[in-house]
Amino acid sequence: MSSSTAVPGQSPIAETAPLSLCALEPHVPADRLVAEMVPPPRFDSVRFDTYVPDPDQPSQVEAVKVLSGFATGLGGAHATGTGKRKWFMSRKPAPAAGPLGVYLDGGYGVGKTHLLASLWHATPAAPSLKAFGTFVELTNLVGALGFQQTVQTLSGHRLLCIDEFELDDPGDTVLVSSLLSRLVEAGVALAATSNTLPGKLGEGRFAAADFLREIQGLSSHFRPLRIDGEDYRHRGLPEAPAPYSDEQVTRAAYATAGASLDDFPALLDHLARVHPSRYGALTDGVRAVCLTDVQPVPDQSTALRLVVLADRLYDREIPVLASGLPFDRLFSDEMLNGGYRKKYFRAISRLTALARDAKGLVAQ
């Protein structure tokens, strides 16, 4: 057995080569998709009292107050059960006063996901009666279970939280709107967020109008809740670190237990062969992602797959160390000015945060 070698500022050199995401093709059973509809690890411990409002943004303080009251009001007949679905009940719970849904309206990095996860944690119901997922994860669930089975699975829930509600795919929007209509009829409370499109005047006010228009008949069930503020990921933090050399990234991958090491173009090719619903499983057990030769994303389909991977890495707090171009040059100007630009800006913001987290992997 070879001996490990110490490197100043790093863990001992690993005795085995790092993982390769390109070598993994995980299979994810449908029941895992349902069981994993909880706040991701990054937001597992957040609560309303751990949200730090910007003192210059009174809407953030008001949001905590309103959402706390909304959670308290969700303590209903089937919120105190033992995980049995509502179809066992002979009568419907009494309808709650006011809208059964809330829409968190604001720009990037103002803490909407923190607040949404806090709402999930604060709602007085067993975890099996609450669901939390992104819009993409919800559409993937429908794809895995079928529409009717998804309705049956979620209709016994007290609360469904949808993070990053997406309005840029009319087909998916209609699908999810139909699903939510059925769930509202079953008495399920709803909460959702979506990011304002960069460059839109009025910021979230236009996002709220778009959201309520696209969900059409559901709009009366949502109360828009405005959250102003700047991106907390850049509040008092340094700029994203410059990319490292291929040698630094490779050495860090070998020195970090549980790290993966992949050539960026090869990883993009691999993502085309793995369904996005499996990207979370693709990172199971991975403690750091190391990428060499980061280049501009060649086309929109590839870019959208990368966005999903960035979300899963961010959810799991997996640092990303990279060589090549900085992450703010991943997407072309045409992409950043197009219909999917909100996704690309979100991916840049999240990958930048993960790049900061990875600084400690490199020997100084």
Side-chain angles (χ1 to χ4, degrees), residues 55-69:
D56 296 327
Q57 302 294 347
S59 64
Q60 295 186 8
V61 177
E62 179 67 13
V64 172
K65 178 181 177 181
V66 171
L67 289 171
S68 297

Side-chain angles (χ1 to χ4, degrees), residues 217-276:
L218 279 172
S219 61
S220 63
H221 296 288
F222 281 88
R223 170 185 176 177
L225 184 60
R226 172 73 174 165
I227 305 172
D228 298 289
E230 63 175 318
D231 188 336
Y232 78 90
R233 288 181 285 267
H234 303 294
R235 200 183 298 164
L237 294 175
E239 292 297 318
Y244 296 94
S245 68
D246 287 352
E247 181 181 1
Q248 287 175 303
V249 171
T250 300
R251 188 163 180 79
Y254 275 88
T256 304
S260 66
L261 176 62
D262 291 279
D263 177 68
F264 185 70
L267 178 60
L268 294 184
D269 289 341
H270 183 62
L271 293 180
R273 298 188 290 272
V274 179
H275 192 275

Side-chain angles (χ1 to χ4, degrees), residues 252-305:
Y254 275 88
T256 304
S260 66
L261 176 62
D262 291 279
D263 177 68
F264 185 70
L267 178 60
L268 294 184
D269 289 341
H270 183 62
L271 293 180
R273 298 188 290 272
V274 179
H275 192 275
S277 65
R278 303 177 183 178
Y279 288 2
L282 192 67
T283 65
D284 284 352
V286 176
R287 296 178 57 185
V289 168
C290 298
L291 301 172
T292 57
D293 194 23
V294 170
Q295 302 176 10
V297 179
D299 57 74
Q300 192 137 262
S301 295
T302 303
L304 293 173
R305 288 191 289 267

Side-chain angles (χ1 to χ4, degrees), residues 37 135 137-139 141-142 146-155 160 162 172-186 188 190 218:
M37 292 195 71
F135 182 91
E137 289 171 325
L138 189 59
T139 57
L141 183 67
V142 176
F147 184 84
Q148 294 300 333
Q149 184 60 43
T150 303
V151 171
Q152 293 178 16
T153 299
L154 298 179
S155 64
L160 171 62
I162 309 170
D172 283 347
T173 300
V174 171
L175 172 68
V176 173
S177 294
S178 299
L179 173 64
L180 298 186
S181 295
R182 296 284 296 275
L183 297 180
V184 166
E185 292 173 2
V188 180
L190 307 173
L218 279 172

Side-chain angles (χ1 to χ4, degrees), residues 291-349:
L291 301 172
T292 57
D293 194 23
V294 170
Q295 302 176 10
V297 179
D299 57 74
Q300 192 137 262
S301 295
T302 303
L304 293 173
R305 288 191 289 267
L306 180 60
V307 167
V308 177
L309 179 64
D311 287 342
R312 300 293 80 78
L313 294 173
Y314 183 79
D315 289 345
R316 290 158 174 77
E317 299 183 287
I318 299 175
V320 178
L321 190 72
S323 67
L325 291 180
F327 288 130
D328 60 2
R329 294 173 61 186
L330 281 173
F331 308 110
S332 67
D333 289 342
E334 182 180 3
M335 291 178 182
L336 293 178
N337 291 317
Y340 295 109
R341 54 184 175 173
K342 68 174 183 178
K343 298 183 181 182
Y344 302 144
F345 274 84
R346 183 178 81 233
I348 291 170
S349 178

